[in-house]
Amino acid sequence: MADTDTHLPVLFNEALEALNILPDGIYIDGTFGRGGHSAAIMQALGTAGRLLAIDKDPEAIACAREMFAEDARFEIRQGSFAELERFAEESGLLGRVNGVLLDLGVSSPQLDQAGRGFSFLNDGPLDMRMDNSSGISAADWVSVVGADEMAQVFKAYGEERYARRIARAIVEARAVQPIETTRQLAEIVSAANPAWEKGKHPATRCFQAIRIHINRELDDLKACLDQSLRVLAPGGRLAVISFHSLEDRIVKRFMRDAERGDRFPAGIPVTELQRNSRLALIGKAIKPSRREVEENPRARSAVLRVAERKR
């Protein structure tokens, strides 16, 4: 089995507990990464259990095939979790799944490998694609996009206060020479940012925004959440780990609205069935312990939310 020790999933035990794993259950790991969650789910499953894993990253797919090549209970599909419903249907699992797990954001191996271009701390090609075999890279995007659109992305997906100023600086810099590495971009953004936040690299918000934009992360998340209602069996669990407020806001609103059900004008009496409530929230939002944050600083912003498909 491949070594998963290099990537310790955040809120690991809490996420597994949230799934309430049944030995003969059917589960979907929508973000395989390096297989930490999948390996634990497989260990909890009996001979009749099944796990379908999904990931965009070709390296994650290769890791999955190495880890579980001989296990008929496991299946891996390359693609976005926005294709959750299609993958489940093609595998004969639609409406039968006992748990869906989403661990959002970038995995530690992706951040730590300079060649993937996700991190401003490791100089490398400016890429940032989850699937680096297709789509437009971050370098391609910053080389052609206009300053107004760039600023809008920085503001919407990075909540960057100085979005316009930074966008103009990038456009001016690329006119002098192409921006092809993470260090180049980080230096341009840092120089253009007049108010550095304590404990946060000045390029953090812009790098996050570019990554979210070129990978369509928030659109994919919305699509996946909606499809989960048709994929889950009655009583099935949806567990989502978010790493920034944009993701968590989407997850929180989705679960709240699915629990509330259809809206009716005030004063009209409706039954529970008419209300069409589809999810029940399980507990409150779960955050990492102080000890976990000390051991893994990347866990500090993580939030786990759990809901159960109503019968």
Side-chain angles (χ1 to χ4, degrees):
M1 181 176 288
D3 182 11
T4 61
D5 291 343
T6 56
H7 175 45
L8 179 65
V10 174
L11 291 168
F12 180 74
N13 293 322
E14 293 87 345
L16 294 173
E17 183 179 346
L19 288 176
N20 192 29
I21 299 172
L22 306 172
D24 59 350
I26 299 171
Y27 296 87
I28 296 180
D29 182 352
T31 47
F32 180 83
R34 291 302 179 268
H37 286 125
S38 284
I41 293 170
M42 291 291 287
Q43 289 176 0
L45 292 178
T47 55
R50 290 186 64 181
L51 175 63
L52 168 64
I54 303 168
D55 208 293
K56 288 182 177 181
D57 189 344
E59 293 182 13
I61 301 300
C63 177
R65 288 173 177 158
E66 179 185 348
M67 290 176 70
F68 304 113
E70 305 301 322
D71 200 324
R73 301 173 301 163
F74 179 83
E75 179 183 3
I76 183 72
R77 300 293 294 268
Q78 183 173 2
S80 169
F81 52 52
E83 302 173 272
L84 178 72
E85 187 172 6
R86 179 172 72 84
F87 289 152
E89 185 171 23
E90 290 175 352
S91 298
L93 306 179
L94 196 61
R96 301 172 54 207
V97 176
N98 301 108
V100 173
L101 174 64
L102 303 177
D103 184 0
L104 306 176
V106 185
S107 69
S108 291
Q110 288 172 327
L111 282 170
D112 294 338
Q113 293 175 21
R116 299 304 301 271
F118 286 104
S119 176
F120 40 75
L121 300 177
N122 301 307
D123 190 30
L126 187 59
D127 195 314
M128 296 196 203
R129 290 171 294 174
M130 298 291 188
D131 178 359
N132 55 10
S133 67
S134 64
I136 184 172
S137 70
D140 291 337
W141 186 76
V142 300
S143 72
V144 298
V145 69
D148 289 344
E149 182 182 344
M150 191 183 299
Q152 185 177 6
V153 167
F154 291 164
K155 187 173 183 180
Y157 298 145
E159 300 178 300
E160 174 55 64
R161 179 181 176 185
Y162 301 102
R164 289 194 174 280
R165 178 172 179 156
I166 293 170
R168 286 196 298 269
I170 292 172
V171 170
E172 290 171 4
R174 78 188 186 196
V176 177
Q177 70 178 95
I179 303 171
E180 298 176 338
T181 71
T182 55
R183 178 172 294 167
Q184 278 181 284
L185 181 60
E187 289 177 351
I188 294 165
V189 173
S190 299
N193 192 324
W196 293 19
E197 299 173 55
K198 186 177 181 180
K200 178 177 286 189
H201 192 287
T204 300
R205 295 180 182 276
C206 289
F207 267 65
Q208 172 186 298
I210 294 171
R211 190 202 80 218
I212 289 173
H213 178 68
I214 67 171
N215 290 293
R216 294 178 50 84
E217 291 180 31
L218 301 187
D219 290 338
D220 282 6
L221 175 58
K222 291 174 185 176
C224 180
L225 292 173
D226 180 64
Q227 293 170 34
S228 71
L229 295 173
R230 298 182 290 278
V231 168
L232 287 168
R237 295 280 182 92
L238 172 64
V240 186
I241 303 172
S242 305
F243 286 87
H244 57 73
S245 59
L246 296 174
E247 295 170 337
D248 185 52
R249 202 174 299 142
I250 290 170
V251 176
K252 181 179 180 180
R253 184 178 299 124
F254 169 79
M255 289 184 174
R256 179 200 64 199
D257 291 349
E259 181 181 50
R260 179 184 295 160
D262 298 337
R263 292 174 178 263
F264 292 86
I268 295 181
V270 293
T271 66
E272 180 70 17
L273 183 61
Q274 290 172 322
R275 194 160 64 90
N276 193 29
S277 174
R278 293 165 292 175
L279 287 178
L281 300 183
I282 304 297
K284 297 182 179 180
I286 301 170
K287 297 184 179 181
S289 65
R290 180 180 297 178
R291 179 177 179 180
E292 180 171 7
V293 173
E294 289 174 351
E295 294 176 351
N296 180 10
R298 291 173 180 169
R300 65 184 179 276
S301 60
V303 179
L304 168 63
R305 295 186 186 273
V306 188
E308 185 174 287
R309 180 77 165 94
K310 287 193 173 180
R311 299 185 182 277

